[in-house]
Amino acid sequence: MTSLVSKSTLLWILFLIFTPLAGAQSPANAGKNPPQTTFSRKTIEGKEYYLYRVEEDDSLDSIGSRFNVTTDIIIQYNPELKQAPPAKGHLLLIPVRYNTAQIANASKTFDHIVSSGETLYSLSRMYGVSINSIISLNPEAEEVIRTGDTLHIPQNAIEGNPIQSQDTYVYHTVAAGETLYSLSIRYHTSVNGILNDNPGITPQTLAIGQVIRISSDNIDLSERQPDNDQVFYYQVKSRKETIESVAETFGVTVEEILQVNDGKNLVEKGNRVAIPKKAGDGKEDIPSLHRQEKAPGDPYNIALLLPFMNDKPISDRSTLYTEFYEGFLLAADSMKRAGMTINLYALDTRGDNDYVKTQLDTLADKNIDLIIGPVEDNSIATVAKFARQNDINLINPFVVKNDEAERNNKVFQCYIQHENLYAQSREKMLDEIDGRQIVFVMDDSGKENDKNGHLDLIKKSLLQRAYDFVEISLGQDPYMQSFNEMVPNASDILFFTNASTRSGVGKVLAPLMKLREENPSLRISLYGYPEWQLYTKEFIDQFHRLNTTYFTRFYVLPTDSAAMEVQDKFLYWFHKDMLPASPQHVLLGYDTGLFFLTALQQFGRNFDQQIESLVYPGIQMGFHFQRINNWSGFVNNTIYFVRFNPSFEITREIITEEPLIE
């Protein structure tokens, strides 16, 4: 393995200009005329544009931010800006991000089939509409939505404000008989444009019931556009692309590309280039998206952006991320032995987003194939933007609540989302009821308990199945003296509880242990929560005797030989013990490294196209990724059920939404 580790101060700085939302004023602008919030529109050749007059202190970045377009698009429609920046009073043409033809051809609503873990809140974020607007079309959804339900969703592009809305796409539910080509005709776009907007589909995988999104075509008005039946359109993704490489990708000649673009070479990053269709039998010719790939034998270039904090004294926090890197090195060594060549760029983020931007400058010309990190939310957003612009897969192995994967198709969220964690655990628990008596033991000490909503959904599912259950309040009956009266002649009891704190768990375990001692023939099982992993050492005897199971995102079996081997290698390589932590960052780095390096080795740098077929059981954390929707990034859907049985054995069961591949 070739390893290059850089921790030095970097040479250039990337300045990004952030502007306030329309209507807000910074102190510097106080007393000046407020910025425009409404704009005149003009239709040119069937497409709508805003007419925007440049104001004092405007920049291309700030104007692009206001209209949610890139600076490249602004320059494309205002070519005079190539010669000089915009001056105050200059009139600009800004394309509206959707066109009237698409809106006219879109249904006012579309259908969405609910997946595991989805909520009204997550759907409102996904489609940029309000929860109330979804409920108004689906009144029954106000109480509960279930996996497999079909919900009617309003079109945000019709109902929303095109400037203030975060989402101006048209959404479409695929119907029987529809193809990418027929949809491109209906929505006045190209097949390639639909594929770009929906990386989760291919012509072969387009299926009835899928929801896809359609964005505006952004045709360059400065050029004559050939008829739709003669060409398709390709948007240039990288500065490294040339007219020769584009011609080779699509199997045409340079001269043929020049001919359909009025003799001009338009192959520049961000431009949309007409590509002549090949002569054939008239069947639909689907262009393939041009993506950079590695030549056989070339090394993979991997960047790790972690807060090593080399500019500060050593701390537990910086040590943890150093240990993640060291665990990753152990995985890289294993892949080297399997024949893989790797260049590693370990960059210190210092926990500072401004400094992260300078780090990205050093990566721009390194042909990076994969990015791991960073850690802070705002830095993840910064790097995610860089990753999408450069078609690089970005791994977030640390932050649970970050939502970049919802809107960026290059982001991989390693920690399963909270909603999916609890939804998958509920489905598994309900599958295991199997005729047993259900008892809810509730710690109702008066404090707000975030587990009550989880239990309410279980109770609703039981009621829908006409399945009986009883509930015991520890506030009213702390010793569960009413148990025998409420559950007479019981022989097999499954207990649910809302206890998640150390004191709450202790409060629940005490009466259950007493019940266990007084009824030795009674079969008892107890379900717990991820937090219970922190109390295992303290309550392990009770967990075993009560046949306890808890679900969690990560867990290391105490007898796992693979974990012991990694620990031995870590001690041999680095001459130190792992820092006590939950999770252990050495193992987190090892699992992350082994999975994604394997993905690179098997599928290449564009492994996102096939990653859903790869399942990794993990030493501490398992991985199986799926897209949230056809235009999003990926989320891990793997959880563990950790079981403490009465014979004092601990087992770990892997739960994914797909069968585990042996």
Side-chain angles (χ1 to χ4, degrees):
M1 175 187 65
T2 302
S3 176
L4 176 57
V5 180
S6 173
K7 299 183 182 179
S8 59
T9 303
L10 306 174
L11 297 179
W12 5 82
I13 299 177
L14 174 65
F15 291 100
L16 296 182
I17 301 175
F18 294 90
T19 59
L21 294 174
Q25 293 190 63
S26 65
N29 290 328
K32 298 181 181 180
N33 293 329
Q36 300 177 60
T37 56
T38 59
F39 307 93
S40 300
R41 294 195 191 191
K42 185 176 182 179
T43 301
I44 303 175
E45 296 186 9
K47 184 168 175 59
E48 279 194 294
Y49 297 85
Y50 296 114
L51 300 178
Y52 179 72
R53 197 167 296 280
V54 177
E55 299 175 347
E56 188 177 353
D57 297 328
D58 268 344
S59 68
L60 287 182
D61 281 332
S62 66
I63 296 169
S65 176
R66 178 172 295 175
F67 290 95
N68 197 20
V69 297
T70 65
T71 56
D72 288 341
I73 289 178
I74 297 175
I75 294 172
Q76 179 181 341
Y77 288 90
N78 303 272
E80 69 276 12
L81 297 180
K82 294 180 180 179
Q83 309 302 323
K88 180 181 178 181
H90 188 91
L91 189 64
L92 297 179
L93 200 65
I94 309 292
V96 176
R97 285 201 55 208
Y98 58 79
N99 60 39
T100 53
Q102 291 172 341
I103 299 302
N105 289 322
S107 302
K108 290 185 178 181
T109 65
F110 58 95
D111 288 342
H112 174 93
I113 300 174
V114 178
S115 298
S116 175
E118 289 182 332
T119 64
L120 290 179
Y121 175 71
S122 66
L123 293 177
S124 71
R125 288 173 57 89
M126 183 184 300
Y127 295 118
V129 296
S130 69
I131 293 176
N132 286 337
S133 68
I134 299 176
I135 292 175
S136 67
L137 294 172
N138 308 273
E140 69 285 353
E142 185 171 13
E143 183 174 350
V144 65
I145 62 173
R146 306 174 190 86
T147 301
D149 284 353
T150 298
L151 299 180
H152 307 303
I153 309 293
Q155 288 280 7
N156 182 43
I158 295 175
E159 303 294 337
N161 183 309
I163 298 174
Q164 297 179 2
S165 172
Q166 294 181 352
D167 185 358
T168 53
Y169 291 93
V170 167
Y171 293 88
H172 178 87
T173 306
V174 179
E178 289 182 323
T179 65
L180 290 173
Y181 182 70
S182 68
L183 291 172
S184 72
I185 298 300
R186 172 175 176 175
Y187 289 107
H188 295 255
T189 185
S190 67
V191 169
N192 212 45
I194 297 175
L195 292 175
N196 270 316
D197 286 333
N198 300 273
I201 64 170
T202 66
Q204 294 73 33
T205 61
L206 187 71
I208 297 172
Q210 285 183 321
V211 178
I212 62 172
R213 68 178 187 177
I214 312 290
S215 64
S216 64
D217 49 19
N218 286 329
I219 295 175
D220 187 345
L221 297 181
S222 64
E223 304 297 335
R224 179 184 64 82
Q225 298 300 324
D227 295 337
N228 239 0
D229 59 353
Q230 299 174 4
V231 302
F232 58 86
Y233 296 97
Y234 169 67
Q235 187 171 13
V236 182
K237 299 298 181 184
S238 169
R239 292 174 296 178
K240 298 179 181 179
E241 293 184 67
T242 64
I243 191 169
E244 290 80 10
S245 68
V246 172
E248 183 180 357
T249 297
F250 295 109
V252 297
T253 66
V254 170
E255 290 72 22
E256 288 171 330
I257 293 179
L258 292 173
Q259 183 178 359
V260 296
N261 289 277
D262 281 352
K264 296 181 179 180
N265 180 2
L266 301 178
V267 180
E268 294 182 7
K269 183 179 179 181
N271 278 1
R272 204 160 178 272
V273 181
I275 307 293
K277 291 183 178 179
K278 300 175 186 177
D281 56 6
K283 294 182 180 179
E284 179 184 357
D285 188 11
I286 304 296
S288 61
L289 300 181
H290 178 72
R291 301 184 69 185
Q292 178 185 347
E293 192 47 274
K294 305 295 290 187
D298 282 357
Y300 284 97
N301 302 315
I302 300 167
L304 290 93
L305 277 64
L306 301 171
F308 298 115
M309 313 301 284
N310 287 332
D311 59 329
K312 295 180 176 62
I314 294 175
S315 66
D316 283 351
R317 183 173 186 270
S318 62
T319 300
L320 284 175
Y321 293 112
T322 300
E323 287 194 353
F324 176 91
Y325 171 61
E326 291 164 342
F328 193 95
L329 286 177
L330 296 178
D333 180 66
S334 296
M335 296 306 295
K336 172 190 173 183
R337 297 173 188 276
M340 191 175 187
T341 306
I342 305 166
N343 291 331
L344 291 182
Y345 298 85
L347 306 178
D348 184 7
T349 67
R350 300 184 180 178
D352 181 344
N353 188 46
D354 289 334
Y355 191 70
V356 167
K357 296 170 189 176
T358 70
Q359 303 290 57
L360 295 180
D361 274 345
T362 69
L363 298 179
D365 298 319
K366 301 293 186 185
N367 295 318
I368 296 298
D369 301 302
L370 182 68
I371 300 175
I372 311 289
V375 175
E376 290 76 14
D377 267 336
N378 58 349
S379 294
I380 293 174
T382 297
V383 180
K385 180 180 179 181
F386 173 85
R388 180 159 53 187
Q389 290 172 340
N390 293 277
D391 195 25
I392 304 170
N393 289 323
L394 170 66
I395 315 305
N396 170 20
F398 305 112
V399 184
V400 177
K401 294 183 179 180
N402 184 272
D403 59 4
E404 281 297 320
E406 295 179 8
R407 54 181 175 267
N408 189 325
N409 65 293
K410 306 311 299 178
V411 176
F412 287 74
Q413 172 75 32
C414 290
Y415 278 106
I416 186 172
Q417 296 172 318
H418 181 84
E419 293 84 0
N420 285 28
L421 172 67
Y422 278 78
Q424 285 183 220
S425 68
R426 279 194 298 272
E427 292 176 6
K428 178 65 174 175
M429 291 172 182
L430 290 167
D431 286 344
E432 294 183 351
I433 289 175
D434 195 25
R436 307 166 79 180
Q437 175 67 57
I438 306 300
V439 177
F440 291 89
V441 182
M442 306 300 291
D443 175 13
D444 49 359
S445 56
K447 295 181 180 179
E448 187 68 25
N449 194 309
D450 63 353
K451 309 303 180 188
N452 288 339
H454 167 69
L455 295 184
D456 286 344
L457 291 175
I458 293 177
K459 293 173 186 177
K460 287 180 180 178
S461 295
L462 294 174
L463 290 172
Q464 291 163 4
R465 302 180 186 187
Y467 203 107
D468 291 334
F469 60 87
V470 300
E471 186 170 320
I472 297 176
S473 166
L474 293 183
Q476 300 175 5
D477 186 7
Y479 302 106
M480 290 178 50
Q481 294 176 337
S482 61
F483 175 82
N484 289 328
E485 180 181 345
M486 297 182 70
V487 192
N489 304 316
S491 60
D492 192 345
I493 310 291
L494 194 158
F495 289 98
F496 290 98
T497 180
N498 61 351
S500 59
T501 65
R502 179 177 274 100
S503 61
V505 173
K507 187 184 298 185
V508 169
L509 293 179
L512 291 183
M513 286 297 294
K514 185 173 183 294
L515 179 67
R516 165 84 283 167
E517 293 168 0
E518 293 175 349
N519 301 272
S521 62
L522 186 64
R523 183 185 174 194
I524 292 177
S525 297
L526 171 65
Y527 281 128
Y529 298 97
E531 294 90 337
W532 289 28
Q533 185 172 175
L534 300 174
Y535 324 137
T536 298
K537 185 175 181 180
E538 180 178 352
F539 295 125
I540 189 167
D541 182 67
Q542 293 96 317
F543 284 175
H544 279 296
R545 296 184 65 187
L546 295 173
N547 197 28
T548 301
T549 297
Y550 58 69
F551 58 95
T552 179
R553 295 178 172 92
F554 54 86
Y555 183 81
V556 184
L557 281 169
T559 57
D560 189 340
S561 59
M564 295 177 187
E565 182 179 349
V566 173
Q567 291 167 354
D568 289 343
K569 284 185 177 180
F570 178 78
L571 181 61
Y572 177 79
W573 275 39
F574 302 106
H575 310 290
K576 60 181 180 179
D577 293 321
M578 298 180 188
L579 192 69
S582 183
Q584 289 185 330
H585 277 51
V586 172
L587 297 180
L588 181 61
Y590 184 85
D591 281 332
T592 304
L594 201 61
F595 177 80
F596 285 104
L597 293 177
T598 298
L600 281 171
Q601 187 183 51
Q602 289 191 11
F603 305 129
R605 76 182 305 272
N606 300 317
F607 60 76
D608 49 290
Q609 297 173 327
Q610 297 169 286
I611 195 68
E612 295 186 30
S613 66
L614 191 61
V615 181
Y616 172 66
I619 294 176
Q620 179 178 239
M621 179 182 287
F623 294 120
H624 176 226
F625 287 90
Q626 290 183 317
R627 288 191 189 274
I628 303 171
N629 50 54
N630 281 319
W631 53 91
S632 72
F634 294 81
V635 294
N636 184 17
N637 66 19
T638 301
I639 67 175
Y640 296 132
F641 266 37
V642 182
R643 304 185 189 273
F644 298 79
N645 61 44
S647 61
F648 290 88
E649 292 178 336
I650 303 175
T651 59
R652 188 187 70 176
E653 183 177 358
I654 302 168
I655 312 296
T656 68
E657 292 188 3
E658 295 289 336
L660 184 63
I661 301 173
E662 297 294 342

